[in-house]
Amino acid sequence: MRNNWLAYGRQSISEDDIAAVVDVLHSDWLTQGPMIPEFEKRIATTCGAKYAIAFSNGTAALHAAYYAAGIGVGDEIITTAMTFAATSNAALYLGATPKFADIDLATGLISPSSIAPLIDNKTKAIVAVDYAGHPSDIDELQALANSANVAFIVDGAHSLGAFYKQRPVGALADMTTFSFHAVKTITTGEGGMVLTNKEDLCHKLKLFRTHGIEKNPAFLIDDEGPWYHEMQMLGYNYRLTDIQAALGISQLSRLEQFIDRRRQIAAAYRKHLQDSALFLALQEKSFVKSAYHLFPVLVNKEKLERKQAVQELHKDNIGVQVHYIPSYKHPYYQIHVNGKEWQKKCPNTEEFYSRVLSLPIFPDMSDDDVASVLTALDKLEHKYIG
Ligand SMILES: *Cc1c(COP(=O)(O)O)cnc(C)c1O
């Protein structure tokens, strides 16, 4: 058994990352300087998107994307509950209501067939989450969004660096949001981004990020002089700092390295779990390359309860975690968002939640760390299967 705690995820910070941050601290700009547009340009290029707009975190990015999609009071979005609460919270910020479609048990992704019955004349957007780093069913979801004439948004908090049918995640939907929280693919501490190919959305996103204030003379209603700018809508201060953007640029240079290492670890887990009667790995579809933000497995409940599995792995210093408590299950959603009804309508989400746990996976995990997880899994296999 390992003698120190192995977290399920953590950042990888290099000396170059640290130097990049220190350089900004010595420069003239701590915010709104040259690092932000440079970081945006590099993310856009990496993902094949025309525009990338940086935000202070992934939740702000979602809030802005929903605003730009025209979502407001009384509108609805259709999304998944197998995600971090922020995905649907951002709709609530705007006075809109989330509806929860069920998931595919093999992947944990939103199931296109369970979306169709939820579409009505209040629906403004379909929001997919690339759970664990596996891209959503883009073609099916885009077709659904087109036929309903609603926006298609991807919460790609897990999937920077992933590919769908040879195309990078980031420009596969009307808008894609990323998070640069410490456990995500690359980090800026806190940070986020929205990517889009549409100029009008880009303009709205930028206004939303900076108080709704317009400075570009081409878009001003009046012009009273060189100092002049206009607040044209009620926006927020959702900006990233140059300090953070410099860290992001430095981190981005290691994106492929990060994904390669995550995929190596995932391959080791898959190989080991092939014959397991206790833990089932999720599917990786043949036409995608997952970013493996997480490595969730489903526990065979007839042999071992998930809670027991978590407790025993924790005793062995393996920091497994559960992703996610379905959003509708949180007390706020139970009280204010009809949570109990959604619970009944999402049997796969319920089943998935009752069995899922995430094994540790992050770029700086050593081969010994991986081996210690496999040893702990074997121990359970012997104890509960024999
Ligand atoms: C991390 C995460 C977010 C929120 O990102 P923050 O940067 O923490 O605000 C949203 N959705 C999903 C699926 C996430 O994992």
Side-chain angles (χ1 to χ4, degrees):
M1 170 189 144
R2 57 180 298 128
N3 55 19
N4 62 345
W5 182 256
L6 179 65
Y8 83 85
R10 66 166 280 135
Q11 70 275 17
S12 168
I13 299 294
S14 68
E15 290 305 317
D16 285 347
D17 292 343
I18 293 166
V21 169
V22 171
D23 279 351
V24 174
L25 292 174
H26 286 134
S27 79
D28 292 335
W29 301 91
L30 299 187
T31 66
Q32 295 169 276
M35 291 298 158
I36 306 279
E38 184 61 29
F39 184 38
E40 291 173 334
K41 195 176 90 191
R42 290 192 193 197
I43 291 272
T45 304
T46 301
C47 300
K50 270 197 189 148
Y51 307 103
I53 300 92
F55 284 86
S56 48
N57 56 66
T59 306
L62 283 165
H63 188 186
Y66 295 173
Y67 166 79
I71 295 165
V73 177
D75 293 333
E76 293 173 353
I77 66 160
I78 299 172
T79 189
T80 162
M82 189 43 61
T83 181
F84 184 58
T87 311
S88 47
N89 286 353
L92 295 173
Y93 297 160
L94 292 161
T97 305
K99 289 169 110 177
F100 297 104
D102 209 358
I103 57 169
D104 178 349
L105 268 182
T107 55
L109 298 169
I110 195 166
S111 146
S113 63
S114 78
I115 292 175
L118 298 178
I119 296 174
D120 61 26
N121 58 10
K122 289 182 181 169
T123 309
K124 273 284 167 68
I126 292 170
V127 182
V129 174
D130 292 344
Y131 178 79
H134 188 299
S136 303
D137 293 309
I138 300 295
D139 290 344
E140 291 83 352
L141 295 168
Q142 185 68 67
L144 270 172
N146 289 351
S147 68
N149 196 24
V150 302
F152 174 36
I153 298 169
V154 167
D155 178 345
H158 299 179
S159 59
L160 174 62
F163 285 78
Y164 173 86
K165 298 185 177 173
Q166 322 285 344
R167 292 148 65 205
V169 166
L172 306 174
D174 296 316
M175 284 178 276
T176 303
T177 65
F178 291 131
S179 163
F180 308 124
H181 178 271
V183 297
K184 304 292 161 71
T185 313
I186 66 166
T187 189
T188 58
E190 298 275 4
M193 209 164 287
V194 183
L195 278 65
T196 183
N197 284 334
K198 296 184 176 166
E199 194 182 358
D200 61 321
L201 294 179
C202 173
H203 186 232
K204 285 183 190 157
L205 290 163
K206 284 186 170 167
L207 272 186
F208 194 80
R209 172 175 69 177
T210 303
H211 310 279
I213 288 177
E214 183 63 79
K215 288 183 179 160
N216 183 343
F219 295 107
L220 292 176
I221 297 162
D222 287 316
D223 180 7
E224 300 186 355
W227 66 88
Y228 190 68
H229 56 261
E230 287 169 351
M231 184 191 137
Q232 297 180 342
M233 48 87 51
L234 187 61
Y236 292 76
N237 179 352
Y238 271 171
R239 291 186 300 261
L240 196 71
T241 66
D242 267 48
I243 307 167
Q244 293 168 305
L247 179 55
I249 291 166
S250 182
Q251 286 261 305
L252 188 61
S253 69
R254 286 191 289 151
L255 177 64
E256 265 179 60
Q257 218 175 301
F258 286 161
I259 301 290
D260 285 351
R261 180 58 185 156
R262 285 179 177 276
R263 292 186 60 81
Q264 268 176 8
I265 296 165
Y269 283 154
R270 281 190 182 285
K271 186 155 175 262
H272 195 83
L273 292 175
Q274 249 167 22
D275 309 315
S276 171
L278 215 47
F279 300 103
L280 178 70
L282 300 185
Q283 186 186 53
E284 183 179 13
K285 292 184 181 167
S286 59
F287 49 84
V288 312
K289 182 181 176 189
S290 172
Y292 283 107
H293 165 61
L294 301 170
F295 195 91
V297 295
L298 300 182
V299 185
N300 179 350
K301 274 196 301 189
E302 269 142 44
K303 301 289 183 184
L304 172 62
E305 283 294 330
R306 188 268 309 276
K307 188 172 179 184
Q308 183 77 14
V310 170
Q311 284 167 339
E312 298 216 21
L313 289 164
H314 281 186
K315 264 190 240 155
D316 277 353
N317 276 331
I318 309 299
V320 293
Q321 180 55 291
V322 171
H323 299 95
Y324 287 95
I325 299 157
S327 308
Y328 55 62
K329 242 181 135 77
H330 288 294
Y332 184 87
Y333 278 80
Q334 291 278 307
I335 295 163
H336 299 287
V337 196
N338 225 354
K340 288 219 162 40
E341 282 306 305
W342 292 113
Q343 210 162 340
K344 282 185 218 146
K345 287 178 182 157
C346 297
N348 284 357
T349 308
E350 288 291 292
E351 163 84 6
F352 193 91
Y353 169 59
S354 73
R355 294 173 58 191
V356 76
L357 63 83
S358 304
L359 300 179
I361 190 165
F362 54 92
D364 286 354
M365 237 178 117
S366 69
D367 290 345
D368 283 349
D369 289 333
V370 176
S372 72
V373 177
L374 300 183
T375 303
L377 295 179
D378 277 344
K379 197 167 134 188
L380 293 181
E381 197 87 23
H382 290 137
K383 187 164 167 188
Y384 292 98
I385 305 291

